[in-house]
Amino acid sequence: MKQLSDKPGPIGVFDSGYGGLTILSEIQRAMPDYNYIYLGDNARAPYGTRSFEIVYRFTLQAVNYLFEQGCHLVILACNTASAKALRSIQQKDLPHIDPNRRVLGVIRPTVEKVGEISKNGNIGVFGTPGTIQSQSYNIEIAKLHPHFNTYGNGCPMWVPLVENREANRPGADYFVKQEVDNLFGQQPDIDTVLLACTHYPLLYDKIRQYVPQSAQVIKQGEIIAESLVDYMRRHPEMDARCTRGGSTQYLTTENASKFSEMASVFLNKSITATQIELK
Ligand code: DGL
């Protein structure tokens, strides 16, 4: 790894692919003055079906890359990476890479918020197979809200539907309804459904259509943005290490023009990306 610079730098936002853009856009809305670098490991996405060990290795490579670009703070805008890699990176890697740099995930802030939203404590979680198998949401929810019950449902087809631009087409209805039925088959009285994958906001309309009206469907973007604003207020030393200027650089491990085209679907505006290599 290269020598890291002490100079302030942009905030890094990482996802396996495009999904983290749904988080980035909310962070940008809440904190428009900061500079950002978004990195999507599109060449190796999806992560959702990969092993613990591989998700950890790929995520660590991405974090190191963002540190080398000058980031002092990196947000894992990916539930799969947050579930499978965050704790190891925070506990094992950061102390010797640089104890003053920080990597934050999306699970903890989401779980904190759930306590304010649910009335009956029955929480449904839609995520990638990896996020659901890791039981991260069940574990974190049980820690913060011991009287809650968490019902997880892995949705292996939802990320491919989004990545292949099928989210708003009739074929998506079949897979969305199937998973909603599976979740509510476990517990019909769920009152809060978490979209615990950063790709899923693009399926929101269809999910909303099939989830019973009595349940709320929660996207993570605003929650993560709100929690980051709060983090910066509580950590002025980190805030001082994040540069301002309102710029965003988009990096991808796949073809840059393919990324730029697809990212415009997520962001509703056109952007220009640069291809990089992670190793
Ligand atoms: N966006 C990632 C997440 O939030 C999942 C995408 C993938 O499977 O790579 O879990």
Side-chain angles (χ1 to χ4, degrees):
M1 194 171 159
K2 288 186 207 150
Q3 178 76 28
L4 298 180
S5 160
D6 281 338
K7 282 201 308 211
I11 297 173
V13 179
F14 169 71
D15 182 42
S16 58
Y18 302 107
L21 295 168
T22 63
I23 304 284
L24 174 71
S25 57
E26 293 297 336
I27 295 178
Q28 286 171 320
R29 199 196 310 268
M31 298 167 49
D33 297 339
Y34 291 77
N35 293 326
Y36 300 94
I37 301 186
Y38 183 86
L39 170 56
D41 190 8
N42 300 76
R44 303 187 294 192
Y47 280 12
T49 43
R50 290 191 185 274
S51 69
F52 207 97
E53 185 196 329
I54 294 293
V55 171
Y56 164 60
R57 193 197 315 151
F58 289 177
T59 305
L60 181 58
Q61 288 171 349
V63 165
N64 279 332
Y65 186 91
L66 288 166
F67 284 167
E68 286 171 4
Q69 303 312 300
C71 301
H72 291 256
L73 176 64
V74 172
I75 313 299
L76 300 185
C78 173
N79 288 269
T80 311
S82 299
K84 294 189 162 186
L86 179 64
R87 189 177 303 251
S88 303
I89 293 176
Q90 286 176 333
Q91 294 179 355
K92 237 175 59 189
D93 301 296
L94 275 184
H96 66 86
I97 296 173
D98 178 352
N100 294 321
R101 284 176 210 253
R102 288 287 174 272
V103 181
L104 305 176
V106 288
I107 296 178
R108 181 76 185 199
T110 308
V111 168
E112 280 169 5
K113 192 73 185 179
V114 145
E116 294 168 27
I117 300 170
S118 178
K119 301 273 181 290
N120 70 8
N122 288 329
I123 313 297
V125 181
F126 284 127
T128 63
T131 297
I132 299 303
Q133 277 154 19
S134 75
Q135 296 268 309
S136 299
Y137 275 90
N138 306 57
I139 296 166
E140 290 298 319
I141 291 175
K143 273 191 219 155
L144 288 190
H145 318 292
H147 54 292
F148 280 17
N149 295 305
T150 306
Y151 304 88
N153 190 83
C155 310
M157 291 303 292
W158 287 12
V159 168
L161 284 170
V162 171
E163 296 265 329
N164 291 297
R165 296 205 195 185
E166 292 289 331
N168 294 316
R169 314 221 357 202
D173 288 80
Y174 173 84
F175 292 104
V176 169
K177 180 175 185 314
Q178 184 183 51
E179 302 301 3
V180 170
D181 289 348
N182 288 344
L183 181 67
F184 282 82
Q186 296 181 54
Q187 166 56 271
D189 204 19
I190 289 169
D191 78 347
T192 304
V193 174
L194 297 180
L195 302 187
C197 169
T198 53
H199 280 68
Y200 296 174
L202 277 96
L203 281 165
Y204 179 84
D205 291 346
K206 289 214 190 287
I207 297 168
R208 186 59 275 181
Q209 192 183 324
Y210 292 104
V211 165
Q213 282 310 314
S214 53
Q216 306 189 59
V217 179
I218 309 297
K219 303 184 219 174
Q220 292 178 299
E222 267 180 57
I223 298 174
I224 305 307
E226 196 184 298
S227 134
L228 188 58
V229 169
D230 183 53
Y231 178 88
M232 292 304 218
R233 203 180 44 237
R234 288 183 291 110
H235 295 89
E237 75 296 346
M238 178 55 78
D239 194 45
R241 277 186 256 137
C242 297
T243 51
R244 312 301 203 267
S247 74
T248 306
Q249 206 187 338
Y250 295 90
L251 307 176
T252 174
T253 53
E254 245 286 358
N255 177 278
S257 47
K258 190 173 156 195
F259 181 92
S260 308
E261 192 194 323
M262 186 66 188
S264 63
V265 176
F266 280 77
L267 294 170
N268 259 325
K269 65 174 181 195
S270 71
I271 58 108
T272 308
T274 306
Q275 185 172 0
I276 59 117
E277 197 186 343
L278 288 179
K279 44 181 186 267

